[in-house]
Amino acid sequence: MEGTNLTLVTEFLLIAFTQCPERALPLFLLFLFIYLITFWGNLGMIILIHMDRRLHTPMCFLLRHLSFIDICYSSVTVPQMMAVLLEHGAALSYTRCAAQFFLFTFFGAIYCYLLALMAYDHIEQRLAGVLWPGLTTEAGWGFVAGAYVAGLFSALVRTVSTFTLSFCGNNEIDFIFCDLSPLLKLTCGDSYTQEVVIIVFAIFVLPACIVVILVSYLLIIVTIMRISSAGGRAKTFSTFASHLTAVSLFFGTLIFMYLRGNSGQSSGEDRVVSVFYTTVIPMLNPLI
């Protein structure tokens, strides 16, 4: 880099979907519709669980927090996407981009932890009184608080590691928000140490939660297979089939997005996948 005159980046330009301005209004209306369904659907879940005492169970307690995270997770990115579509691009200051990255990572990490906790709750429902006692309200609050603290720590480390990198030259992000993959493409200089830290913490969040979920499902399946009645097996399986659907959608898209090589990636393909896990999945969760 010696002898090269590069201007440090002080703001980022989001230019996703700006290549086809005629699609801006239809996409804006589509994202607005999805966001309203997401907001009111998850808010309705929170209100329903709060008002109906029959739903004051550990699983519904976790579902209420999951719905809250769905609202926050979607609100970090979707309004920004709509602003990009209306203005045919949007400029974000360095601080604003870092804040969006932090919040997206924070709520995304909590989301992973909550799905893992729900898998644990499913297995304890099957084995309560056999291997360990059932999940109590006090324990539920402790687990959820731990998920928030772990999410905060993970988001802080990833954000500091990302935004201590040097960004210079091109400042255009052909993406819908300030995410890790497009930001790394704008870096200059040596970023090996920061990238290692980012990858290590990603391993602690994503694969660790997947392992917990897979082990829980394995124990559930073993328990189900021991049920003599076919109707009993079907009824028991249905109690966690919805959770399996939500987990498959969310972790499937994240694995596709973040745990593959950078070579040959398509920006258009990445945008479609990112739209799915930032807008569609939070909308589908109340229905699931």
Side-chain angles (χ1 to χ4, degrees), residues 42-57:
N42 284 286
L43 182 62
M45 285 280 290
I46 295 172
I47 295 173
L48 178 64
I49 293 172
H50 176 75
M51 295 182 62
D52 194 336
R53 296 188 62 84
R54 294 171 298 177
L55 300 179
H56 291 181
T57 63

Side-chain angles (χ1 to χ4, degrees), residues 49-224:
I49 293 172
H50 176 75
M51 295 182 62
D52 194 336
R53 296 188 62 84
R54 294 171 298 177
L55 300 179
H56 291 181
T57 63
M59 178 54 67
C60 289
F61 173 78
L62 295 175
L63 276 174
R64 184 169 61 180
H65 283 275
L66 190 68
S67 292
F68 172 72
I69 295 300
D70 270 330
I71 293 174
C72 298
Y73 183 74
S74 181
S75 298
V76 170
T77 57
V78 180
Q80 181 65 68
M81 291 164 54
M82 293 190 293
V84 171
L85 290 168
L86 277 184
E87 301 170 8
H88 304 293
L92 271 69
S93 66
Y94 191 89
T95 303
R96 186 177 172 185
C97 184
Q100 186 182 55
F101 180 86
F102 168 80
L103 291 173
F104 175 78
T105 305
F106 174 57
F107 292 122
I110 296 174
Y111 199 98
C112 293
Y113 293 134
L114 287 178
L115 289 177
L117 286 175
M118 290 172 70
Y120 168 81
D121 183 68
H122 278 302
I123 186 58
E124 73 83 18
Q125 286 181 34
R126 303 275 68 82
L127 302 180
V130 179
L131 297 181
W132 54 69
L135 182 64
T136 63
T137 302
E138 292 76 12
W141 274 112
F143 279 127
V144 169
Y148 278 80
V149 171
L152 176 63
F153 181 66
S154 177
L156 279 173
V157 171
R158 285 169 60 85
T159 303
V160 171
S161 299
T162 301
F163 285 87
T164 51
L165 295 169
S166 297
F167 300 97
C168 49
N170 182 27
N171 67 339
E172 293 184 348
I173 300 178
D174 190 9
F175 211 63
I176 58 176
F177 62 97
C178 288
D179 200 7
L180 179 61
S181 177
L183 284 171
L184 289 179
K185 295 177 181 178
L186 304 181
T187 59
C188 57
D190 183 16
S191 61
Y192 177 77
T193 302
Q194 290 94 328
E195 289 186 28
V196 168
V197 172
I198 292 168
I199 293 172
V200 167
F201 272 85
I203 291 174
F204 275 109
V205 176
L206 191 59
C209 290
I210 291 175
V211 168
V212 171
I213 292 170
L214 290 178
V215 171
S216 299
Y217 282 169
L218 179 61
L219 292 174
I220 292 173
I221 291 172
V222 170
T223 305
I224 290 175

Side-chain angles (χ1 to χ4, degrees), residues 34-44 67 71 74-75 282-283:
I34 291 176
Y35 181 70
L36 291 176
I37 296 249
T38 301
F39 182 85
W40 290 110
N42 284 286
L43 182 62
S67 292
I71 293 174
S74 181
S75 298
M283 177 189 68

